Amino acid sequence: DQQVKQNSPSLSVQEGRISILNCDYTNSMFDYFLWYKKYPAEGPTFLISISSIKDKNEDGRFTVFLNKSAKHLSLHIVPSQPGDSAVYFCAASVYNFNKFYFGSGTKLNVKP
Amino acid sequence: DTGVSQDPRHKITKRGQNVTFRCDPISEHNRLYWYRQTLGQGPEFLTYFQNEAQLEKSRLLSDRFSAERPKGSFSTLEIQRTEQGDSAMYLCASSPVGGRSHRYTFGSGTRLTVV
C-alpha cells in the first residue's frame, strides 16, 4: 500500500519562476516529513524537513508547507535554477525515524 | 567524512545465483539502513541496524535475504537464489543517533540485474 504519494511524475518550470512539488500521505500517524533530491547515478540527498508541530519550514530558496488536515505537503523552490533539475522524493516517518516511507518522486526540469 | 560507500556499483547475475553487497557507512553514524528502489518508484525500506543490532526488518525481506552488520561498522546484504524480481537499486544509508537521526546520508547504490 502506497502511504506516500506524489501524483505528478514530472514538472517543467522556467528558470527564475517558482517550482511547487506536491505530496500526499494517508497515514495519520506520520509526524515527520522530509524532501530528498536525487541526481542521476547518485543516492538521494537530504534537502529539508518538517515536523508535524509546524506548518512551514524554510531553508534559503526552499520552503516546505504541511497541511495536516489535508494530509498534504508541498515543496516550494523560489527562484528555480537549472541546477535544481533532479528527481525530488517526499518521505514520511513516525518520530523514531527508524524507517521512512517514500513517494515515487517528481522529476523537475528547470529550463534556462 | 567520505560519505557512504557501496560496493559494487553494478552487479549482473544469473537467476539462482547468490549475491552479496557491501555498505560502509559514515564512521560516526550508529544507524544503518537498507532500502530497495525499483524503476519509477521511491526507495522502500528493507532493514535497519543500530550499531550491530538488526532492529527492524520489512516483510519485503523474504527468507532469501539476510543482512548483517558485524561490530557495528560495515554491513552486508546477501540475496540467495536470486530471482528476476530482485532486479533493483539497493541503497544503503546511515544516520547518527539523536536529533539529526532523520538526516540520512545515502550511498550511490548497487544496481542489481538478474538475467
Side-chain angles (χ1 to χ4, degrees):
Chain A
D1 61 336
Q2 194 78 7
Q3 299 190 52
V4 177
K5 296 180 182 180
Q6 294 176 257
N7 292 319
S8 298
S10 64
L11 175 67
S12 189
V13 169
Q14 203 67 36
E15 180 179 5
R17 306 295 289 269
I18 185 172
S19 296
I20 300 176
L21 294 91
N22 294 303
C23 179
D24 298 292
Y25 62 96
T26 57
N27 189 342
S28 58
M29 298 298 292
F30 289 147
D31 53 13
Y32 211 85
F33 304 89
L34 291 83
W35 285 91
Y36 278 87
K37 176 178 176 179
K38 185 181 183 306
Y39 292 117
E42 296 182 11
T45 55
F46 171 81
L47 188 59
I48 192 169
S49 63
I50 188 167
S51 126
S52 60
I53 62 172
K54 295 185 174 182
D55 54 18
K56 177 182 172 181
N57 189 28
E58 283 183 78
D59 184 0
R61 297 185 296 113
F62 302 91
T63 303
V64 56
F65 294 91
L66 176 62
N67 182 334
K68 290 185 288 294
S69 61
K71 295 191 180 69
H72 178 83
L73 66 156
S74 60
L75 174 69
H76 292 210
I77 306 174
V78 183
S80 302
Q81 299 174 354
D84 297 328
S85 297
V87 177
Y88 290 78
F89 293 99
C90 68
S93 174
V94 295
Y95 206 74
N96 58 15
F97 310 134
N98 290 348
K99 65 182 171 188
F100 278 94
Y101 294 84
F102 283 79
S104 54
T106 297
K107 185 174 184 179
L108 174 66
N109 179 31
V110 180
K111 296 177 287 188
Chain B
D1 177 359
T2 57
V4 176
S5 299
Q6 291 190 246
D7 184 68
R9 290 295 302 272
H10 304 274
K11 178 73 176 178
I12 300 174
T13 191
K14 291 185 178 179
R15 191 175 51 178
Q17 298 294 304
N18 299 344
V19 294
T20 300
F21 311 139
R22 177 180 171 121
C23 172
D24 287 273
I26 292 174
S27 56
E28 312 87 73
H29 287 181
N30 304 83
R31 294 185 168 198
L32 186 146
Y33 315 85
W34 285 97
Y35 280 75
R36 180 174 71 184
Q37 186 178 10
T38 53
L39 199 62
Q41 300 299 315
E44 294 176 290
F45 171 81
L46 292 178
T47 190
Y48 149 64
F49 291 83
Q50 182 152 320
N51 300 313
E52 66 275 12
Q54 187 174 22
L55 297 184
E56 190 164 351
K57 290 169 59 171
S58 164
R59 62 178 180 272
L60 290 175
L61 219 63
S62 74
D63 56 4
R64 296 185 298 105
F65 288 72
S66 62
E68 294 182 342
R69 193 184 182 196
K71 303 178 183 177
S73 55
F74 71 92
S75 176
T76 58
L77 177 69
E78 181 183 16
I79 309 174
Q80 296 182 328
R81 304 181 304 281
T82 51
E83 302 172 356
Q84 286 188 320
D86 297 331
S87 295
M89 176 73 82
Y90 289 83
L91 292 163
C92 176
S94 68
S95 72
V97 175
R100 295 173 76 84
S101 61
H102 61 283
R103 292 197 175 199
Y104 291 9
T105 300
F106 279 92
S108 299
T110 293
R111 180 167 295 285
L112 173 67
T113 303
V114 181
V115 297

